[in-house]
C-alpha cells in the first residue's frame, strides 16, 4: 500500500491536508524542528492529536557518532508512537543502520544524493530510503534518474527497502517519481498545495455552478 507523508510539523498545514489526503504520517528533520522551535516530544504529541494514534512518524537522529545514533535510535523507538528512525546515509550512519538491522527498530536512510549511497543503505538493511530529488537536480544531476536507478537495484537484488523520495519542488518531479513505482513519498505543504490545485479546475467548476444556478437557482442536484 502506497504511503503518503507530509514533510512538516506545522499543525495548521497538517490539519488542512489531512482532510483531503490519505496521510500515513509525517517526516521531519532537524531543520524542520529547529525552524518550528518546538521540541520533539511536544511536536509528536501535537501531530498525533491531528493524525491519530496509528500515524507513522519519521524522526531524524542528530548524533554524530555511531554510538550516539544507536542510543538515539533506542530512545526514539521507545516513545509511544509508530516511529521510524531517520539516519543520514553517511559512513557512521551506515554503521548504525547495519547494527539496527538485527533489531526491531525501523530505519529510514536519509540525505541520499547518489545511487551508490542508496544501494549501500539498502544493503545495510534500511527499511526506507529517502533520496532528495530536487536537491540532486539543484546540484546539476538528475534526481528522477537517481531514484529510478536505486529502485532498479533494490528490485534486482531483492532488497527489502521501500523508496520514500523527498525534497520535491514541483508536481512534475512528484508524478515522475510516483510512476517509477516507489512505495512512498513525502511532500512539503507547498508541493501538496500544487498537487491539489490545477489552474484549469476552478474556472471549469465555476462554469458548472453558473450554468446550474441560471436554471435551478440554489437547489441542490437532488432537489431539482
Ligand atoms: C525529508 O526526509 C528531507 O528531510 C526533506 O524532504 C528535504 O527536503 P528539502 O530539500 O525541501 O529541504
Amino acid at each position: 500500500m502506497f504511503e503518503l507523508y507530509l514533510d512538516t510539523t506545522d499543525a495548521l498545514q497538517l490539519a488542512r491536508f489531512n482532510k483531503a489526503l490519505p496521510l500515513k504520517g509525517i517526516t521531519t528533520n532537524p531543520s524542520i524542528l529547529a525552524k518550528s522551535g518546538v521540541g520533539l516530544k511536544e511536536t509528536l504529541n501535537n501531530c498525533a492529536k491531528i493524525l491519530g494514534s496509528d500515524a507513522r512518524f519519521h524522526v531524524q537522529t542528530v548524533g554524530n557518532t555511531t554510538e550516539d545514533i544507536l542510543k538515539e535510535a533506542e530512545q526514539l523507538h521507545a516513545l509511544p508512537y509508530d516511529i521510524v528512525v531517520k539516519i543520514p546515509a553517511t559512513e557512521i550512519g551506515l554503521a548504525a543502520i547495519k547494527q539496527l538491522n538485527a533489531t526491531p527498530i525501523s530505519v529510514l536512510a536519509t540525505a541520499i544524493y547518489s545511487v551508490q549511497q542508496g544501494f549501500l543503505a539498502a544493503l545495510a538493511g534500511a527499511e526506507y530510503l529517502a533520496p532528495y530529488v530536487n536537491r540532486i537536480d539543484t546540484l546539476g544531476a538528475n534526481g528522477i534518474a537517481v531514484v529510478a536507478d536505486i529502485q532498479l537495484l533494490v528490485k534486482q537484488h531483492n532488497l527489502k527497502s521501500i523508496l520514500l523520495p523527498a525534497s520535491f519542488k514541483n508536481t512534475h518531479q512528484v508524478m515522475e517519481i510516483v510512476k517509477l513505482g516507489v512505495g512512498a513519498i513525502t511532500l512539503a505543504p507547498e508541493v501538496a498545495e500544487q498537487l491539489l490545485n490545477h489552474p484549469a479546475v476552478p474556472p471549469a467548476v465555476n462554469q458548472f455552478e453558473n450554468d446550474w444556478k441560471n436554471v435551478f437557482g440554489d437547489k441542490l442536484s437532488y432537489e431539482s
Side-chain angles (χ1 to χ4, degrees):
M1 177 80 170
F2 185 79
E3 296 177 10
L4 179 62
Y5 294 90
L6 220 53
D7 199 22
T8 188
T9 59
D10 183 312
L12 285 177
Q13 301 279 26
L14 265 187
R16 174 191 166 187
F17 289 111
N18 191 44
K19 287 183 187 155
L21 300 175
L23 297 179
K24 174 76 179 169
I26 58 163
T27 53
T28 71
N29 64 37
S31 303
I32 291 172
L33 285 172
K35 195 172 167 196
S36 77
V38 181
L40 178 66
K41 287 178 188 161
E42 190 180 338
T43 296
L44 290 172
N45 186 37
N46 294 341
C47 295
K49 278 187 197 150
I50 297 164
L51 297 177
S53 53
D54 58 349
R56 183 163 292 169
F57 300 101
H58 293 255
V59 179
Q60 192 163 329
T61 57
V62 295
N64 56 15
T65 64
T66 300
E67 291 67 34
D68 278 353
I69 292 171
L70 288 170
K71 267 190 253 167
E72 271 183 274
E74 278 169 25
Q75 294 293 322
L76 292 172
H77 179 69
L79 294 172
Y81 304 98
D82 179 359
I83 301 258
V84 177
V85 180
K86 287 178 75 177
I87 300 176
T90 58
E91 186 173 348
I92 62 160
L94 289 174
I97 294 170
K98 188 178 162 191
Q99 289 194 49
L100 291 169
N101 194 25
T103 75
I105 298 175
S106 291
V107 169
L108 175 146
T110 194
I112 293 177
Y113 284 79
S114 67
V115 179
Q116 63 267 29
Q117 218 188 341
F119 183 54
L120 292 176
L123 285 179
E127 183 174 335
Y128 293 92
L129 307 173
Y132 286 4
V133 178
N134 190 68
R135 292 197 196 190
I136 296 170
D137 285 354
T138 304
L139 291 171
N142 183 336
I144 294 163
V146 167
V147 174
D149 282 351
I150 297 173
Q151 172 87 341
L152 179 73
L153 289 172
V154 164
K155 282 204 169 150
Q156 275 180 340
H157 295 276
N158 275 327
L159 298 167
K160 66 174 186 186
S161 306
I162 297 167
L163 269 77
L164 191 163
S167 180
F168 295 102
K169 286 293 167 282
N170 58 61
T171 56
H172 168 75
Q173 290 169 331
V174 175
M175 296 319 296
E176 288 304 306
I177 290 295
V178 171
K179 277 157 56 181
L180 294 173
V182 298
I185 53 170
T186 186
L187 303 174
E190 307 76 53
V191 181
E193 166 106 39
Q194 287 179 42
L195 278 182
L196 286 168
N197 291 297
H198 188 289
V201 176
V205 173
N206 286 342
Q207 179 73 56
F208 291 138
E209 194 177 322
N210 290 339
D211 290 347
W212 178 265
K213 283 195 166 159
N214 284 340
V215 175
F216 298 109
D218 287 336
K219 284 182 179 167
L220 294 175
S221 54
Y222 66 88
E223 294 170 325
S224 66

